Amino acid sequence: MALEHVDQAAPGPNEVWVDHEAIGVNYLDVMQRKGAVPLPVPGGLGLEAAGRVGAVGPGVGNVAVGDRVAYILGGPGSYATGRLYAAERLVPIPESLTFEDAAAILFKGITAQYLLKTTYPVGAGTVVLLYGVGGGVGQLMAPWAKHLGATVIGVVSKEASVARAKASGCDAVLVWGACDLPAEVTRITDGRKANVVYDAVGRDTFQASLDSLGARGVFVSFGASTGAPPPVEISTLGKSSLFLTRPSLATHATDVAEYQQRAADVFSAVANGIIKPAIWKTYPLSEVVAAHTALEQGASAGTILLKP
């Protein structure tokens, strides 16, 4: 990754120029950079930012110059001081939130929102097994699932993350590799096991996740930090009538109306104290390599931001 100077372009029809104030870093950026999620190269990276509208093109009526806005998706390119962007995908930032808060919460918040409310409708009595509770998405999913009435069993990669996971609302926290995870889930739930497993780890945890599900449980594989999960024989799911799904953010936030509704729900959850931005560290845009290194090595304890 290297910084390059490009000239600012005038917005076209239904476009705006956004001057970035804070840029969210997400693991999907790492996967795109490494080629696991292919992108045309050379090109930009980054799918989330917050800033001010600097200029508007013809036909734009939903925002004006000077408005505080945030966005996710819409094509890579947020690792920049500013960019052209589709006006309809801009989300107004509530006055109670800073640019940094908005850039830290929107991408991960919408991810948590669709996983908890669409992929599996978590509610009273749901037993949730959640990996990566110490990370950016996990720190949002755990308290939100608790608010919805679930029992949350969190999984972390190291002992140092246990206290943070408990503070986020987990009823129990397990350290990966330090126990027989399916056996512990069985014990904690008195034999019931989990209704839903949210697994962002991938290959290393796949079998343990399957074995931690109760009858008619749902395995949600939504990440691959240890590599892609292995192929699955259909008969593997038949033993307990299990469901397996591999959802993506794009299929839940491409439609503009759906995207805006999910964003509104995220900001409402923040306003009501259900979830809150958890910023671990902010790097200058020029130090993006260090930011990616920290994320890949598991050093972060929350969201990483870039500042132009």
Side-chain angles (χ1 to χ4, degrees):
M1 293 182 288
L3 292 176
E4 289 189 5
H5 177 79
V6 296
D7 293 330
Q8 180 172 335
N14 302 311
E15 281 188 327
V16 302
W17 179 271
V18 181
D19 291 310
H20 293 158
E21 296 285 346
I23 301 159
V25 178
N26 297 284
Y27 204 84
L28 181 54
D29 305 347
V30 174
M31 295 174 67
Q32 290 178 333
R33 190 201 84 231
K34 296 174 74 171
V37 178
L39 286 178
V41 290
L45 275 179
L47 297 166
E48 173 179 35
R52 290 189 185 275
V53 176
V56 300
V60 173
N62 62 313
V63 294
V65 172
D67 284 356
R68 303 167 71 247
V69 294
Y71 66 83
I72 69 167
L73 303 183
S78 69
Y79 288 11
T81 56
R83 71 181 296 191
L84 292 175
Y85 196 78
E88 65 179 2
R89 292 194 61 84
L90 294 174
V91 178
I93 300 175
E95 288 301 318
S96 59
L97 296 182
T98 65
F99 290 114
E100 290 75 16
D101 290 337
I105 200 78
L106 196 58
F107 188 103
K108 296 172 181 63
I110 290 179
T111 300
Q113 197 270 356
Y114 87 74
L115 290 172
L116 295 171
K117 296 193 174 184
T118 301
T119 306
Y120 186 98
V122 170
T126 302
V127 177
V128 170
L129 181 64
L130 174 62
Y131 289 85
V133 182
V137 174
Q139 288 184 50
L140 301 179
M141 289 186 69
W144 210 341
K146 284 298 297 178
H147 174 77
L148 294 171
T151 296
V152 180
I153 303 171
V155 184
V156 296
S157 61
K158 51 185 179 291
E159 189 70 35
S161 301
V162 170
R164 187 166 66 252
K166 288 183 177 179
S168 71
C170 291
D171 296 278
V173 181
L174 305 176
V175 180
W176 175 253
C179 66
D180 182 331
L181 192 132
E184 280 299 293
V185 172
T186 302
R187 180 189 64 79
I188 292 168
T189 60
D190 294 325
R192 177 183 171 188
K193 297 188 176 182
N195 298 108
V196 58
V197 174
Y198 293 106
D199 188 337
V201 180
R203 181 186 298 120
D204 289 359
T205 55
F206 192 81
Q207 190 60 50
S209 294
L210 277 178
D211 294 342
S212 297
L213 283 167
R216 293 180 287 174
V218 177
F219 185 165
V220 183
S221 175
F222 71 102
S225 61
T226 62
V232 179
E233 293 283 347
I234 293 298
S235 58
T236 302
L237 306 177
K239 180 176 63 175
S240 299
S241 299
L242 303 180
F243 298 85
L244 171 63
T245 184
R246 179 76 175 176
S248 71
L249 179 60
T251 56
H252 292 80
T254 295
D255 177 82
V256 171
E258 184 179 20
Y259 161 66
Q260 292 287 357
Q261 182 275 322
R262 294 191 192 282
D265 196 22
V266 170
F267 284 150
S268 175
V270 175
N272 290 318
I274 300 168
I275 59 175
K276 61 182 179 180
I279 300 169
W280 174 68
K281 191 170 182 179
T282 300
Y283 292 85
L285 181 58
S286 59
E287 295 180 15
V288 62
V289 171
H292 271 229
T293 299
L295 189 57
E296 284 188 84
Q297 294 180 347
S300 62
T303 296
I304 294 174
L305 296 181
L306 300 173
K307 288 285 286 184

